[in-house]
Amino acid sequence: MSSFYLRAAMNLNNVGISLLEVGKLSPASTALQDALEAMKCSVRLDEEQPQRHMVFDQKLSRAITALQTEESSISFFDQYLLLTASLIRFPPCGPHEMPTSRINIHEGCAIVLHNLALFYQLNGLHDNQSILMRKSLSLCHLVHSIVLDVREEQDDQDQGHNLPTRLLFILVNVLNCMGQVHSYLGEHDLAQECFRRLNTTLAETLFSPDSLLAAPAA
């Protein structure tokens, strides 16, 4: 797994979130899409070429410049601010601290796709565009599939059924996002199913034997 492309994906993702939080939707979209492109390069083990390094460095520089400029931005209402609180940043780490395990590859992809899904949901709500909500839903299904693959892999390796905390957070957010999008689209039965699965996930997690909230053994 390429540490350069992974670092580029992490930085672009984090700047994209900052842009989204201040209502700069267009540069936020570009930064998050670029983060996804960098993550794909990392997963594919693309050869690290100086020209490609320069391209992603320029993408990051443009995103940072957009964040620093005093251009017009969109003011979000409370419901949008609640959604932006669910966006996930990568933690800062040094050049020799890149996560390279298989589960972290899954996690990195899920984080970027999760943030893109929330971006489309935010944009869809703001513009009242169902096509954007459909894009959000499509990405949510992809993230949901990734997380379930990780859980299945853990089961196969007898590592327990509980997901790592960050992936659990993503799963809960994605199920909630899917439920909200289905509600917006008038698909109430599907929305209820998503919320039911969300409640089941929370219950299984909170009261599993490994949970701090589980009842003590008799």
Side-chain angles (χ1 to χ4, degrees):
M1 187 174 190
S2 166
S3 61
F4 170 81
Y5 291 126
L6 178 56
R7 191 181 299 109
M10 294 167 67
N11 289 334
L12 285 162
N13 174 84
N14 291 353
V15 176
I17 290 176
S18 295
L19 287 162
L20 189 52
E21 287 174 337
V22 296
K24 296 182 178 181
L25 298 186
S26 180
S29 173
T30 300
L32 291 173
Q33 293 284 357
D34 289 341
L36 182 58
E37 181 185 351
M39 187 62 71
K40 289 178 179 178
C41 290
S42 182
V43 172
R44 291 196 306 259
L45 300 176
D46 284 5
E47 182 180 351
E48 294 193 13
Q49 300 175 348
Q51 297 92 333
R52 295 287 285 167
H53 284 209
M54 187 179 299
V55 168
F56 280 107
D57 285 341
Q58 290 172 346
K59 290 176 183 292
L60 179 60
S61 179
R62 283 196 296 268
I64 293 173
T65 299
L67 184 61
Q68 296 171 339
T69 56
E70 295 294 331
E71 62 183 28
S72 60
S73 59
I74 295 171
S75 297
F76 290 129
F77 296 105
D78 289 345
Q79 66 183 116
Y80 305 131
L81 296 176
L82 288 174
L83 284 176
T84 58
S86 297
L87 295 164
I88 301 175
R89 282 182 170 86
F90 287 99
C93 57
H96 303 296
E97 300 175 312
M98 293 294 104
T100 55
S101 71
R102 179 172 173 79
I103 194 167
N104 279 317
I105 294 174
H106 278 101
E107 184 177 313
C109 292
I111 286 173
V112 176
L113 289 167
H114 163 270
N115 290 335
L116 266 174
L118 285 180
F119 164 78
Y120 282 120
Q121 186 184 5
L122 282 163
N123 211 4
L125 287 170
H126 181 268
D127 293 345
N128 195 27
Q129 290 285 335
S130 60
I131 188 171
L132 296 175
M133 302 298 271
R134 290 288 181 193
K135 286 184 177 181
S136 174
L137 192 59
S138 177
L139 290 172
C140 282
H141 280 292
L142 184 54
V143 175
H144 186 258
S145 176
I146 291 172
V147 175
L148 294 187
D149 284 346
V150 172
R151 173 177 283 179
E152 186 174 319
E153 185 175 292
Q154 285 186 306
D155 289 343
D156 291 341
Q157 297 176 359
D158 294 325
Q159 294 179 356
H161 195 62
N162 287 344
L163 287 164
T165 302
R166 196 182 303 275
L167 282 175
L168 176 62
F169 181 76
I170 292 171
L171 178 60
V172 169
N173 277 344
V174 158
L175 288 170
N176 183 58
C177 179
M178 290 166 68
Q180 291 183 11
V181 172
H182 280 305
S183 294
Y184 172 90
L185 296 171
E187 300 164 349
H188 300 296
D189 289 344
L190 292 173
Q192 289 180 0
E193 174 61 18
C194 290
F195 293 135
R196 184 193 66 77
R197 288 158 65 186
L198 170 58
N199 290 333
T200 299
T201 298
L202 289 173
E204 288 177 349
T205 302
L206 293 175
F207 300 107
S208 70
D210 297 327
S211 171
L212 293 177
L213 299 180

